């Protein structure tokens, strides 16, 4: 006999109220994915180093053309507020103090993964596509490659490229910003 568990899905507003009430603490590493509160795994040194390389490269090459947001929430819908490793955002004078960035504000999302590659591919990437995020990069540290996802639809991304060491990549919003895959992977 199969048992079906009933799950309670939360909205972004309820998720925020849980934090305000102290149910979720600042030290808890969680994000809201499709109404479910999901724990974020600890960050390995290789993962952290890759994120730091992106911060340096994007900050140096983009200057004031984009806000480089690191491990901060993006509000994709009423039930999803993930915290991508990097989000390149439209510049705003308030730096999104009035509210978290939404899909229309996002140039690029970068997810770096060593232990979460499959869940990022199967859960987060489709979530980003369904939200209309125009471009996502998934850095697979173990395989030493960067997967580039473009042309979002409700069914997923239509254009997927795998880039390896020796190749160059650029965000479609900033084609002049060429990054060597080797620079990112270290």
């Amino acid at each position: 006999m199969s048992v079906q568990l009933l799950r309670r899905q939360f909205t972004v507003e309820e998720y925020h109220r849980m934090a305000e009430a102290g149910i979720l603490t600042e030290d808890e590493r969680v994000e809201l994915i499709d109404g479910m509160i999901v724990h974020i795994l600890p960050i390995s040194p290789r993962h952290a180093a890759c994120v730091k390389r992106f911060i340096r490269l994007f900050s140096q090459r983009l200057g004031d053309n984009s806000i480089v947001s690191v491990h901060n929430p993006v509000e994709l819908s009423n039930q999803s507020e993930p915290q991508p490793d990097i989000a390149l955002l439209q510049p705003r004078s308030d730096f999104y103090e009035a509210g978290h960035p939404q899909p229309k504000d996002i140039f690029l999302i970068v997810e770096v993964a060593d232990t979460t590659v499959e869940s990022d591919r199967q859960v987060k990437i489709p979530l980003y596509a369904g939200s209309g995020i125009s471009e996502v990069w998934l850095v697979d540290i173990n395989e030493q490659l960067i997967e580039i996802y473009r042309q979002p639809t409700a069914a997923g991304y239509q254009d997927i490229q795998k880039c390896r060491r020796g190749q160059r990549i650029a965000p479609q919003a900033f084609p002049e910003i060429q990054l060597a895959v080797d620079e990112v992977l270290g």
Side-chain angles (χ1 to χ4, degrees):
M1 176 198 307
S2 168
V3 176
Q4 180 114 9
L5 297 177
L6 297 177
R7 296 177 188 225
R8 164 69 157 85
Q9 292 193 311
F10 298 98
T11 65
V12 169
E13 181 183 339
E14 291 168 330
Y15 176 63
H16 284 245
R17 284 192 308 206
M18 282 186 255
E20 290 166 8
I23 296 167
L24 298 173
T25 66
E26 224 175 89
D27 295 336
E28 282 191 271
R29 292 187 32 81
V30 295
E31 58 189 351
L32 186 66
I33 305 292
D34 281 333
M36 304 300 293
I37 298 171
V38 180
H39 281 278
I40 301 172
L41 293 174
I43 296 173
S44 73
R46 291 186 325 158
H47 180 286
C50 185
V51 170
K52 290 172 192 162
R53 284 195 229 27
F54 268 118
I55 294 168
R56 186 191 69 205
L57 292 167
F58 283 146
S59 295
Q60 288 174 345
R61 296 181 187 175
L62 290 171
D64 292 335
N65 294 318
S66 179
I67 294 173
V68 180
S69 180
V70 181
H71 298 135
N72 289 311
V74 294
E75 189 175 327
L76 301 181
S77 70
N78 190 40
Q79 291 192 307
S80 291
E81 191 177 270
Q83 296 180 36
D85 291 307
I86 303 271
L88 295 185
L89 308 174
Q90 294 271 356
R92 275 190 20 192
S93 60
D94 75 342
F95 287 84
Y96 296 90
E97 184 176 349
H100 293 308
Q102 297 181 355
K104 65 181 173 29
D105 304 311
I106 301 169
F107 292 123
L108 170 69
I109 285 183
V110 178
E111 292 287 359
V112 177
D114 47 4
T115 58
T116 61
V117 175
E118 287 310 311
S119 64
D120 285 348
R121 265 192 208 114
Q122 294 173 17
V123 177
K124 281 191 163 181
I125 301 294
L127 180 67
Y128 294 140
S131 299
I133 302 298
S134 62
E135 183 173 19
V136 177
W137 294 359
L138 175 60
V139 180
D140 184 336
I141 294 174
N142 300 321
E143 294 297 320
Q144 294 286 284
L145 63 86
I146 300 173
E147 297 174 5
I148 298 175
Y149 296 83
R150 293 179 176 153
Q151 298 175 10
T153 69
Y157 285 94
Q158 299 304 302
D159 180 21
I160 303 169
Q161 303 169 35
K162 292 186 178 187
C163 300
R164 299 190 179 275
R165 288 185 177 279
Q167 293 181 287
R168 299 185 73 72
I169 57 176
Q172 65 184 4
F174 303 101
E176 70 282 3
I177 306 299
Q178 294 282 315
L179 305 176
V181 172
D182 296 278
E183 285 181 289
V184 172
L185 295 173

